[in-house]
Amino acid sequence: MSDNLTPLIELKQIKKGFPGVQALDGVSLTVYPGEIHAIIGENGAGKSTLMNILAGELQPDSGEIIFQGRPVRIPHPNVSQQLGISVVYQELALAPNLTVAENISLNTVRTSFGLEFVNRRDFAVKAKAVLSQLGMASLDLRQPVGRLTVAQQQMVEIGKAISTDVKVLILDEPNSALTKEETDHLFAVLRDLRAAGVAIIYISHRLEEVLSLSDRITVLRDGQWVETMPAESATVDRLIARMVGREVDTLFRPQGASTVQTQISFEVKELSSTALLRDLSFMVHAGEVVGVAGLPGAGKDELVECCFGLRPYTGAIEVKGQPVRLTEPDQAIKHGLALIPADRRGTGAMLVLSVQDNIVAANLSQVSRAGLLQRPAIRAVGQQYVQQLDIRIAGLTQAMGTLSGGNQQKVILARGLATQPAVLILHEPTRGIDVGAKAEIYAILQQLAAEGVAILIVSSELPELIGQCDRILVMYQGAFTGEFDRDDAAEEPILACAMGQSTHLETT
Amino acid sequence: MVKDVQMTPTTSPISEKIKNLFLARETGVLVALIVMAIFLSLATPAFLSVRNLLNVGRQVSLLGIMSVGMTYVLISREVDLSVGSIYALVGLITGMLIVMGWGLVPALLIGLLIGAMVGFINGWLSTYGSLPSFITTLGMMSVARGAALLITNGEPVTVNEIQGADPQTLSQFYYLGQGRVFDLIPMQLLFFVIVAILGWILLSKTVFGFKIYAVGGSDKAARVSGIKVYNIKIWAFVIMGFLSGLAGILSIAFLPSGQAGRTGVGLELDVIAATIVGGASLAGGEGTILGTILGVLIIGVLRNGLILMGISAFWQETMIGAVIILAVGVDKWTRSRRGL
Amino acid sequence: MVKDVQMTPTTSPISEKIKNLFLARETGVLVALIVMAIFLSLATPAFLSVRNLLNVGRQVSLLGIMSVGMTYVLISREVDLSVGSIYALVGLITGMLIVMGWGLVPALLIGLLIGAMVGFINGWLSTYGSLPSFITTLGMMSVARGAALLITNGEPVTVNEIQGADPQTLSQFYYLGQGRVFDLIPMQLLFFVIVAILGWILLSKTVFGFKIYAVGGSDKAARVSGIKVYNIKIWAFVIMGFLSGLAGILSIAFLPSGQAGRTGVGLELDVIAATIVGGASLAGGEGTILGTILGVLIIGVLRNGLILMGISAFWQETMIGAVIILAVGVDKWTRSRRGL
Amino acid sequence: GSSAPAPAETQPEPETKTEEAAPTEEAAPAEEAAPTEEAMPTEEAAPTEEAAAEPDAAASGFTLNERIAEKVANGEPLMLRVSYHDVSNEFAPFIKKGVEQAAGDFDVDVEMVGPVSPDADAQIAELENLVEAGVDGLAISSVSSDALAPIIDRLLAEGIPVVTYNTDNPESNRLAFAGQDLEQSGYEAAKVLADLMNGEGDVIITTLDAAAQWSIDRETGARRGFDEYPDINVLQTVNTGTEPQEIYGSIENAMLANPTVSGILSLECCSVSPAGEYVKRNGLTGDVTVVGFDELPQTLQLIDEGVIAASLSQAPERQSYEAVRLLLDALNGQPVSDVDTGIAIIDQSNLSDYMQGN
Ligand SMILES: Nc1ncnc2c1ncn2[C@@H]1O[C@H](COP(=O)(O)OP(=O)(O)OP(=O)(O)O)[C@@H](O)[C@H]1O
Ligand SMILES: Nc1ncnc2c1ncn2[C@@H]1O[C@H](COP(=O)(O)OP(=O)(O)OP(=O)(O)O)[C@@H](O)[C@H]1O
Ligand SMILES: [Mg+2]
Ligand SMILES: [Mg+2]
């Protein structure tokens, strides 16, 4: 870090209010060239809002932005691009109809007059270069981005951000869907950029990562600046304490608190689907937490979809010993299943609807009588889960689309919990959720398990699986290649299985 | 571990907040309507007479009935361009049945059933058939219009005794379209009020209504929430078809003569316009019955006022377009002021 | 879209693969068109004559010119309902200027400028004015129609010598609409071909076209990439207005008599239908000029064929609707078979 | 929307109808058409003393409402409106001209009103609103015959005098009708065409809207006319639609489908000139005879060029002019009866009479 240099960006007393919320309340921040500056804070602390202001997506109500010593106004993203500010958005900003190569080159056409021909060969060359830098050389450049997995899309978005001459690179939870390996690639690239004098603002909820990557760390809480500290002097516990403003007991389940019962709640027998899934069999006992690990493309998505009636399958599924045929999600819900989907904006949220409507959407029978909605009941259920999950909102009728990313995720979790399921399937359940909330969610999962709910966590975050699960299944190319009990679950052997070495395979 | 509720500091009594927010949805349109009404009552004294207001009420009734249906369709993120043709088809068939001597109830039932069925086909093609509803209903617009022409052989259908209708049935039928309750309130208006109330209850009070919003908000999210997205959308089209048919029947009961090439031509754009002016959006998930009623009234009051003021027909045409843009503009403006 | 990327390891004969992909977008519509053409040429020998095919070409030209514009608007995720009114307004004004003795070039320039300006207003209101384009252009549909009626005073505009047009200007003007190059190819068709080629180059080869797709795919993605989303959309509307005006001018140059209440009424739905049949979508981001041309041809060939086969007018109406649904259905089906 | 006009029963025998007939006084075109001497009962027209003296002498069963009767008695200015079913069509300017002529001649407040598209609901709404605005008399032309019968009867019941013109509502109690006998005009047109074709050949009939009542009436008359010529074959009725390009395209396609056609009969104002254009552009002048209706500028031009053989005029200005006159008569308690505005045949021989009007 280089205190002797002039700051690249100085933010002074930035305020930004939304109806009902003061998202930023006088935040100041200084970023130097050649530093990685992490910004952390709970969900809704105002991190994305601050970055959106730098990007020109939002205008501050008051405060000053000083860029290389000059006060600037950034009325449009176009201006931030001119200044050399590049952003990887938390909610990806890609055109789904355009190809990988086209998306990566999208910000290079900004300055063109319009009538010159598009050089798609250049696009491809550049995309290829950027993607191989990120270790994604095998990605088909001609695929429309809308058909990629979330992880692939995230990589494309990062590639797009670093494909221009960038002075300030802002990454808002860039790796929430990435694997460890992909994340390592990303970090290597970031370190190179730092060495080249780029200022990097890095937002993440993964505190270990933050500690190892960044030079300085700024903590925001409730829209206010709390502290900026050098990374050397920080610890995870200290960061959490500053973020949350109190102690968080523990992230992981206490040892030996297994609640596994003998009754089998959910059983899948020889499930196959399309060309990808082959004869998958597993069971989840009441009170058991089972994890499914695997690299992107292993077929975890398809497995989740089959288990919730979103995708046709062959084979059998039993819930509490009863064979069921899941043709549609409503069947699944009726039989006591609940799903927390991974794709928050696409499959999860109904963005124009209110928070309370989103919470009760899967559980309408509980909040209605004879087909008539009971508004008080809707409010009560909404209220209950807003409290229980500590969802930060201005009011129950706030539109879902205006919530911070993490809070949206909690609302979706609330929707699943509100159906009081016997089997809860969570797909990337803590993607983009802050540590405090994560701890709360884990605690809730434990409590549910203790109450006898069978829980299936499908996740690409191995620490999460290892910390939470009684058992972990590992997938590779549509089949299970390993099964780990809680005691012998560790990152390395699981990763080995996930990459196809079925050394640890025990049973099917 | 679980904190107390952390409602944001700026809000205090939640129930009030909710009320305000709820109101706000329609405020913009309401403001536009009130401004217009004040202007008109100053500009022309005839505007505020009871009789004139009832006239306006009657004149907007059929548009209003169909716009209630369109509210459902638009909220569910679909669109229906065939409503004008369904209106013609059902009205004419019902009229023909009455002329052929059918009883009132069977004739009405057959008519409404046909409307609902055409709606069902629209819905089925737009969901299970995985075609965009713009195309299915544009196609249906021609198909239903053609069917009406074929059935009537292109000849005008006149529902009166001379053509063979039973006098008693006929007088009942006429009453539906032309009658006035207490010699004052036009039956058409009464139908509109009933449809609006039922439509409002169904949309904002029932589980079905909730599902319509959910489906329009995000069909994937709705599906994962266990909602049968396709079926809900199909129901929206069925309601639309049914209400278009009802409006068509009331139309021919009012003006006992219709013609397949002409009845209801171009109605679809009026209906969609009124609904959008009322706050619904082609992007789905948004809209209310109250808003739609206000939208319908804006268009009705505007037409009425321009005529009362003696504005020439060509200027009327120009001004109607301008006011539609203006009304939605006012709505957007008040919404953004309220941070919606 | 991507033509000559040579990078992907998974595919072997890359050029072929690319070709296939390229084809695939329009294959569905092409299949529908070919099936129809084969059927018609079997059913009625007149269909395949050069003269008839040129007729069809001429008959679809104006629709085609406007559909090229609509392709831009739909890809940018907007819609324009005012095109029929712009067509009438510009055609009639240009005709009146010629009658008033203006020279050909000034009259054309003024006309086209008016078309582009109306498009600009549509675009401005739909972007900076933050109104949905469905509403702005629906309003504009009335406003422009009203303006045409006011300017012409509702009287037919006839462009001939008796009315006062300069004979030489007149013959040049007529040539634009009625002329035939090499005594064979209708000028209107030539205009269509030129517009289609330029439109294709602009859309699929230039940065501007690329930006249109980006804006329609995700305006956020486009915006944060530094693209001025609003300006791009406004340009799409300006192109649309300009081309509607051009079509309107060619129309009155072809049939030298137009009437503000009739010219171009209902055209908007035809134009949108042709464009959507050709593969564009109201959801934005999708569509190609080639697809649009095929869509336009489907509708043109269908109309022509039905008349050649002597199908009654009422059946024609029904069948056109059914075939629109069917054509898009075939398209969807072939796409899903190709995994698109 | 289109030119349109009237039913058989009221005036079975129009006065002017042979092909030689030069425009007679009553049927004369354009500006001269309406304000002929007979057509202008100037003296009786204005609300005079005598008129006020006998306000009840109107048509049987109709009584003026008190408000209007008082106005008439006091000689206050009256507000009359002529409602046309589509003020944006080609015909409307002619109707308007007649109305304006009448406004000047009779010195009354009278204007043409109506919807900007053939929309019966909108027309009714406007009529209702005019009642609120205090209208004292209405002349109404409806989109198809009897479309407005109920509302006309309602207006009459309220004591507002109503006459019809152009398109009648014979089943209503309207006080009188001014217009043309549609079926008869179709019959005449067919005979003109058949004679020009020397009684043999294939014919197509074109119409903007085959399903409209006026079109059905004229087509019925026309087919009756052609039936009198055993060697004339009517191949097809072509429904052209109302949009100009569409009209031309339909004719083009129909001609291609029926290469033997040697005569085209257009049933209205607006498919006749496109038919003429088609004939002219395809070098068929002389081989294909075109006969149509009305006196739009382009039609006249094509008659002049010898492409269109003849066109039948229905003197539209006169229809609205007469309607206003009938209204004033009724308001002043005079008996009123139907006026047939007749048929005049325009061809090269009398073209100059019509040309100068435009
Ligand atoms: N458009 C908006 N309208 C209303 N409120 C908004 C809007 N955008 C953000 N907010 C509110 O502003 C606050 C800060 O949101 P922001 O997205 O900056 O949080 P964040 O720190 O990025 O959280 P996360 O970690 O969950 O992404 C939240 O309370 C959010 O609900
Ligand atoms: N619509 C599609 N068309 C073609 N191939 C697809 C499609 N969807 C997924 N695939 C392919 O199927 C395989 C499985 O993808 P999937 O998304 O299920 O992986 P995943 O294990 O869930 O990954 P992640 O951890 O990113 O969620 C991948 O090779 C993917 O490219
Ligand atoms: Mg955020
Ligand atoms: Mg995946």
Side-chain angles (χ1 to χ4, degrees), chain B residues 4 63 76 152 159 212:
Chain B
D4 344 36
L63 178 68
S76 80
T152 61
V159 188
I212 293 258

Side-chain angles (χ1 to χ4, degrees), chain A residues 124-187:
Chain A
V125 169
K126 180 191 235 168
K128 189 81 193 163
V130 165
L131 286 177
S132 44
Q133 208 180 342
L134 288 167
M136 295 287 289
S138 64
L139 200 59
D140 181 357
L141 296 177
R142 298 160 312 154
Q143 278 245 56
V145 156
R147 265 186 274 148
L148 303 181
T149 63
V150 177
Q152 289 169 327
Q153 290 184 3
Q154 225 161 35
M155 277 305 205
V156 173
E157 172 100 350
I158 294 166
K160 178 182 157 194
I162 63 173
S163 69
T164 48
D165 281 337
V166 45
K167 288 196 189 114
V168 182
L169 178 61
I170 299 172
L171 301 107
D172 193 350
E173 299 187 40
N175 61 338
S176 56
L178 299 188
T179 58
K180 175 122 189 7
E181 204 186 7
E182 289 162 337
T183 303
D184 289 344
H185 262 291
L186 170 64
F187 286 0

Side-chain angles (χ1 to χ4, degrees), chain A residues 425-440:
Chain A
I425 304 171
L426 303 107
H427 195 186
E428 309 292 357
T430 59
R431 184 177 282 174
I433 284 200
D434 70 49
V435 268
K438 237 182 215 177
E440 286 158 15

Side-chain angles (χ1 to χ4, degrees), chain B residues 132 134-135 138, chain C residues 29 63-75 78-80 83 203 240 267-282 286-299 324 328 331 335:
Chain B
F134 194 94
I135 283 292
L138 186 72
Chain C
V29 204
L63 179 67
I65 289 172
M66 293 168 80
S67 298
V68 167
M70 192 60 81
T71 311
Y72 283 81
V73 173
L74 289 186
I75 292 176
E78 301 291 334
V79 69
D80 192 343
V83 297
L203 187 60
M240 178 80 260
L267 205 48
E268 59 284 347
L269 289 183
D270 284 351
V271 171
I272 296 173
T275 314
I276 293 186
V277 167
S281 144
L282 285 173
E286 278 184 286
T288 61
I289 298 293
L290 185 54
T292 295
I293 293 171
L294 292 173
V296 166
L297 285 178
I298 282 196
I299 290 185
I324 286 178
V328 178
D331 184 32
R335 278 194 208 210

Side-chain angles (χ1 to χ4, degrees), chain A residues 222-253:
Chain A
D222 289 338
Q224 286 172 326
W225 177 87
V226 176
E227 186 178 354
T228 300
M229 62 187 106
E232 307 91 69
S233 69
T235 64
V236 170
D237 286 342
R238 174 153 175 238
L239 290 180
I240 292 173
R242 303 303 284 153
M243 272 169 64
V244 185
R246 68 191 153 88
E247 295 295 317
V248 172
D249 314 335
T250 173
L251 286 187
F252 301 123
R253 186 151 74 156

Side-chain angles (χ1 to χ4, degrees), chain A residues 16-24 40-52 58 90-91 172-173 203 205 220 223 344 392-394 398-408 432-434, chain B residues 8 339:
Chain A
K16 176 71 186 176
F18 294 109
V21 183
Q22 190 63 35
L24 291 175
I40 61 170
E42 288 182 286
N43 295 131
K47 305 180 295 294
S48 298
T49 304
L50 192 61
M51 295 310 115
N52 277 325
L58 289 175
Q90 181 178 13
E91 312 297 352
D172 193 350
E173 299 187 40
I203 296 173
H205 290 295
L220 299 185
R344 180 191 306 149
R392 308 292 172 85
I393 51 171
Q398 187 180 356
M400 182 77 162
T402 62
L403 261 55
S404 79
N407 281 308
Q408 286 180 8
I433 284 200
D434 70 49
Chain B
T8 2

Side-chain angles (χ1 to χ4, degrees), chain A residues 394, chain B residues 7-17:
Chain B
M7 288 296 154
T8 2
T10 49
T11 56
S12 16
I14 301 159
S15 60
E16 258 205 319
K17 182 96 197 174

